[in-house]
Amino acid sequence: MGAVNRPDGKVALVTGGGSGLGRASALALVGAGWTVVVAGRRKDALEETAALAAALAVDSGVVDTGAVDSGAVDTGVVDPERVLAVPTDIRNPEEVARLFDAVRDRYGRLDLLFNNAGAAAPRRPITETSFHDWNRVLDTIVTGSFLCAREAFRLMSTQHPQGGRIINNGAPSAHVPRPNSHAYTAAKHAVLGLTKVLALDGRPYGITCGQIDVGNVSPPDGAPQPAAAQADGTSAVEATIPVERFTDALLLMAAQPPDTTIQSLVVLPATMPFVGRG
């Protein structure tokens, strides 16, 4: 399939785009004028994201990402050519290569990679943490981010004009852990290191890399926020922020000109334990 003419927006790729922050990010990017490719393992969820994006009314150029979970999305004017769903297991290097081939074949370039896909494991003492859970979390968050970044470098460094931007989805756990979160904390620390080395190695090619670390986001459909483990061994229900706080920050990072990078953003509810978490 030959490359099609791109619309006014640049091309972004969002991993883990079938639900949660990935879906909200894809819709926000479409609303801001981007052409968006969504990747993930669940074909039906990706196609639902693509359908929501293709139905968005963007007359004001602003997407109400909070309306996604409620179903309050207006039919509108987004060109279906601006949204592409590519089922991909980002832990598999062959599937990741095919994903980036699809981006290249369809649009001819990539301007933004948002490494968003993640995985979690039950919080247990390290003596009870299974090897399976450890591998699943590290493979998804660390290996998946590496594989996608590697392919993004290959494309961004050879396209014309050269360059692009990578944003990695970190977490407060990239800086300070919660109790009994060994795999997740190790994975997010690794992503932070990956962010730094990609930012350094991308300089000769005009490729920037930054990281966004978001705290508690309100659960979808108004579900109650579950209690979280605290450093003193207790549990507490913590404050949350609406998903729009996250997508606004992501769009701010994505919108910077090529000569500017936002290296790191930490977006939190003002009262969420983080500084001095323990």
Side-chain angles (χ1 to χ4, degrees):
M1 177 172 55
V4 301
N5 291 328
R6 292 186 300 127
D8 292 339
K10 294 182 178 181
V11 180
L13 168 59
V14 177
T15 67
S19 62
L21 292 180
R23 174 174 288 179
S25 299
L27 297 176
L29 286 162
V30 167
W34 290 76
T35 291
V36 177
V37 181
V38 287
R41 285 181 292 168
R42 295 180 297 147
K43 181 174 183 290
D44 56 343
L46 292 177
E47 290 177 346
E48 184 177 345
T49 297
L52 287 167
L56 285 172
V58 292
D59 296 318
S60 65
V62 177
V63 174
D64 181 7
T65 53
V68 173
D69 293 312
S70 67
V73 179
D74 298 327
T75 56
V77 296
V78 175
D79 183 350
E81 290 291 339
R82 287 180 51 198
V83 186
L84 177 65
V86 184
T88 307
D89 184 346
I90 62 166
R91 300 170 299 181
N92 184 306
E94 288 77 20
E95 291 194 30
V96 172
R98 285 195 292 271
L99 166 64
F100 280 80
D101 285 344
V103 174
R104 182 186 294 105
D105 291 345
R106 180 71 170 256
Y107 300 114
R109 65 178 293 108
L110 180 67
D111 299 287
L112 171 67
L113 166 64
F114 179 35
N115 267 326
N116 165 72
R123 290 196 178 102
R124 294 174 177 149
I126 192 168
T127 54
E128 300 174 16
T129 299
S130 72
F131 183 63
H132 170 76
D133 282 341
W134 172 270
N135 271 349
R136 179 174 53 82
V137 172
L138 271 290
D139 283 351
T140 302
I141 295 175
V142 183
T143 301
S145 295
F146 158 72
L147 291 173
C148 289
R150 184 176 67 173
E151 294 301 323
F153 259 64
R154 288 171 174 169
L155 178 52
M156 291 174 175
S157 64
T158 57
Q159 64 192 14
H160 301 283
Q162 188 184 60
R165 190 177 307 275
I166 298 172
I167 300 175
N168 289 330
N169 192 355
S173 291
H175 309 278
V176 286
R178 288 192 186 276
N180 296 324
S181 59
H182 309 92
Y184 188 77
T185 298
K188 291 302 183 178
H189 273 68
V191 168
L192 180 58
L194 181 64
T195 298
K196 292 177 179 179
V197 74
L198 292 176
L200 177 60
D201 292 349
R203 290 176 183 173
Y205 310 105
I207 300 171
T208 63
C209 185
Q211 181 162 316
I212 183 167
D213 302 310
V214 66
N216 299 328
V217 175
S218 300
D221 303 322
Q225 174 76 358
Q230 305 297 302
D232 62 1
T234 62
S235 295
V237 176
E238 299 174 352
T240 63
I241 54 175
V243 69
E244 293 85 0
R245 302 291 187 271
F246 173 80
T247 54
D248 286 348
L250 179 71
L251 292 178
L252 174 66
M253 296 180 75
Q256 298 306 304
D259 64 353
T260 304
T261 185
I262 296 176
Q263 186 63 45
S264 176
L265 275 181
V266 180
V267 183
L268 304 170
T271 60
M272 177 183 169
F274 175 66
V275 178
R277 182 188 281 182

